[in-house]
Amino acid sequence: MDGKLRNMASLYILNGDEVLLLFRQGGRVVNNVWTGSAGGHFETFELNDARACVLRELKEELGADENDIKNLLLRYVTLRRTKDEIRQNYYFFAELRDNVSRDFISNEGVTRWFKFHELAALEMPFTASFIIKHYMKTGCKTDVVYAGVADGNKVVFTEMPAF
């Protein structure tokens, strides 16, 4: 292991009992699976600011900005070792503002709103599928930030308290 890192951020936009997902097409790392509403790799100037990354991706991929969402919160940070690199993922959740259209078009693939009960049947990237399961069971009931480490079979979560 030579210490190569890949930093990425992802945003899940919620609206009532639904979440907006993207069927990502043509991606360098993630392709032909359902992912968060928007997301991608950090730019050099964002390496210490995951929020800036996810807001830039929101603008680039959905043409939306921070005024279109509310309660933007970092909820999960995960680590996964794959292909001689460590992938660090920062997962944000936000709510769509009431006055904003639900009709999003992405330059990265196809967007679609899903009911929460439909999510378990979707093909998602390894870590993201565990984030969604954990969020639906536990994370949606708390304001906790969780850390997750992928072990090849699952992602093990722990609360990440500030101290």
Side-chain angles (χ1 to χ4, degrees):
M1 178 75 216
D2 64 6
K4 185 177 178 187
L5 303 175
R6 183 180 301 269
N7 296 292
M8 297 174 282
S10 188
L11 171 63
Y12 290 90
I13 300 174
L14 308 172
N15 188 7
D17 66 345
E18 295 183 311
V19 61
L20 180 67
L21 296 182
L22 169 67
F23 189 76
R24 189 168 295 275
Q25 299 169 314
R28 291 180 294 169
V29 175
V30 176
N31 196 28
N32 295 326
V33 292
W34 291 100
T35 65
S37 312
H41 296 87
F42 283 41
E43 298 294 341
T44 304
F45 60 89
E46 298 166 335
L47 288 180
N48 292 318
D49 193 347
R51 180 184 170 88
C53 176
V54 85
L55 288 173
R56 177 185 52 77
E57 292 288 354
L58 174 65
K59 184 69 171 172
E60 288 178 4
E61 294 182 8
L62 295 178
D65 63 33
E66 192 170 4
N67 295 320
D68 296 319
I69 56 175
K70 61 184 179 181
N71 301 323
L72 176 65
L73 295 171
L74 175 65
R75 297 302 312 280
Y76 294 88
V77 179
T78 62
L79 295 171
R80 178 182 177 196
R81 188 173 150 195
T82 185
K83 298 181 183 175
D84 295 324
E85 66 186 13
I86 295 175
R87 293 186 182 173
Q88 299 175 127
N89 288 279
Y90 299 82
Y91 293 90
F92 289 81
F93 286 75
E95 298 168 50
L96 186 67
R97 289 196 181 273
D98 293 337
N99 61 338
V100 176
S101 171
R102 293 170 35 103
D103 299 327
F104 288 101
I105 298 173
S106 176
N107 60 359
E108 298 282 334
V110 178
T111 58
R112 182 176 157 207
W113 290 95
F114 287 93
K115 297 280 188 188
F116 292 151
H117 68 83
E118 297 175 296
L119 300 178
L122 299 177
E123 185 176 349
M124 296 181 179
F126 182 83
T127 306
S129 66
F130 285 94
I131 293 293
I132 289 297
K133 288 175 192 167
H134 187 273
Y135 182 81
M136 298 307 302
K137 181 178 179 184
T138 305
C140 66
K141 301 171 190 164
T142 74
D143 289 330
V144 174
V145 177
Y146 295 94
V149 177
D151 70 5
N153 296 309
K154 63 187 177 308
V155 176
V156 178
F157 293 101
T158 188
E159 291 185 16
M160 190 188 309
F163 61 91

